[in-house]
Amino acid sequence: ERTGQGQYVETSLLDAAVTAMSYHGLAYLMTGESPPRLGNAHPAMAPYQTFATADGYLILGVANDSLWRRFTQALGLEELARDPRFVTNADRVRHREELAALLQARFRERPTADWVALIDAAGVPVSPINTVAEVLEHPHTRARGLVVELPTAEDPDLRLLGLPVRLSETPGSIRQPPPRLGEHTDAILAELGYSPAQI
């Protein structure tokens, strides 16, 4: 539009995956040491990870000492905020395994929804980890149109995943079910110029 010249835009899954390593990649580039495996835990903050509850899983992000104090209060574990092993984030990172074991024992006592409500009310980032079924049946997923009902004669209960991209002027939609094997073969071959006898 401005110069009359265009350019190719190119990327790859590898490019995206390498840059998605984020601070893990930077840690290696800065230190020359490959970061250890921590599962879903954050290497520089604790607790900042997933935990099993009585009926599922949650993930939380206690990113600073103020959140830590509110978090321990929400869990009824104020003594941990005064424990010398856990007072500062640096302390908690150094003693992450001991801390995770203590918290894991506590989280096993109640269901996910209870913990999420308590921790969220304290202003600490937390979320349940939903199963695929919970995600697809969630009211917000439905409200966003991410599950599309498209009944057919062969499958009156057919449901498909919706479109994740919204265009204001030319919105997309799913108007047809996936084709059955060979369903459009004759039409496509006819469009390519084959006669009915050749097809």
Side-chain angles (χ1 to χ4, degrees):
E1 182 180 313
R2 294 180 184 173
T3 67
Q5 296 186 2
Q7 60 184 310
Y8 288 101
V9 178
E10 184 262 338
T11 190
S12 73
L13 288 174
L14 174 67
D15 298 354
V18 169
T19 57
M21 289 192 309
S22 178
Y23 50 81
H24 299 291
L26 291 173
Y28 169 76
L29 293 173
M30 291 168 42
T31 66
E33 295 178 22
S34 191
R37 291 182 180 205
L38 295 173
N40 290 323
H42 194 288
M45 291 178 257
Y48 200 108
Q49 63 200 85
T50 57
F51 287 97
T53 65
D55 68 347
Y57 296 87
L58 60 77
I59 186 163
L60 63 98
V62 180
N64 59 49
D65 296 338
S66 172
L67 289 174
W68 169 244
R69 289 187 293 276
R70 285 189 268 154
F71 170 72
T72 56
Q73 202 167 30
L75 266 64
L77 296 173
E78 294 91 340
E79 69 276 6
L80 291 183
R82 296 183 298 276
D83 187 314
R85 297 172 296 172
F86 311 130
V87 173
T88 68
N89 182 62
D91 298 327
R92 293 189 297 278
V93 168
R94 254 190 313 280
H95 300 280
R96 77 168 60 244
E97 290 180 20
E98 298 162 73
L99 177 58
L102 291 167
L103 295 176
Q104 184 56 82
R106 183 75 165 135
F107 281 126
R108 288 277 192 194
E109 296 173 8
R110 296 174 74 169
T112 302
D114 289 0
W115 288 123
V116 169
L118 284 169
I119 297 166
D120 186 53
V124 177
V126 65
S127 176
I129 296 178
N130 295 315
T131 64
V132 171
E134 289 167 334
V135 169
L136 294 178
E137 300 300 338
H138 195 280
H140 192 74
T141 301
R142 296 312 194 99
R144 294 290 297 160
L146 293 171
V147 175
V148 176
E149 295 182 10
L150 200 62
T152 67
E154 297 82 17
D155 189 355
D157 299 319
L158 181 62
R159 298 187 303 165
L160 304 169
L161 296 178
L163 302 175
V165 177
R166 317 294 159 125
L167 302 174
S168 63
E169 302 303 316
T170 57
S173 64
I174 297 176
R175 297 174 293 280
Q176 303 180 74
R180 294 185 315 279
L181 182 61
E183 179 178 354
H184 300 120
T185 300
D186 290 356
I188 291 169
L189 291 174
E191 195 176 305
L192 292 172
Y194 288 89
S195 71
Q198 289 174 306
I199 294 172

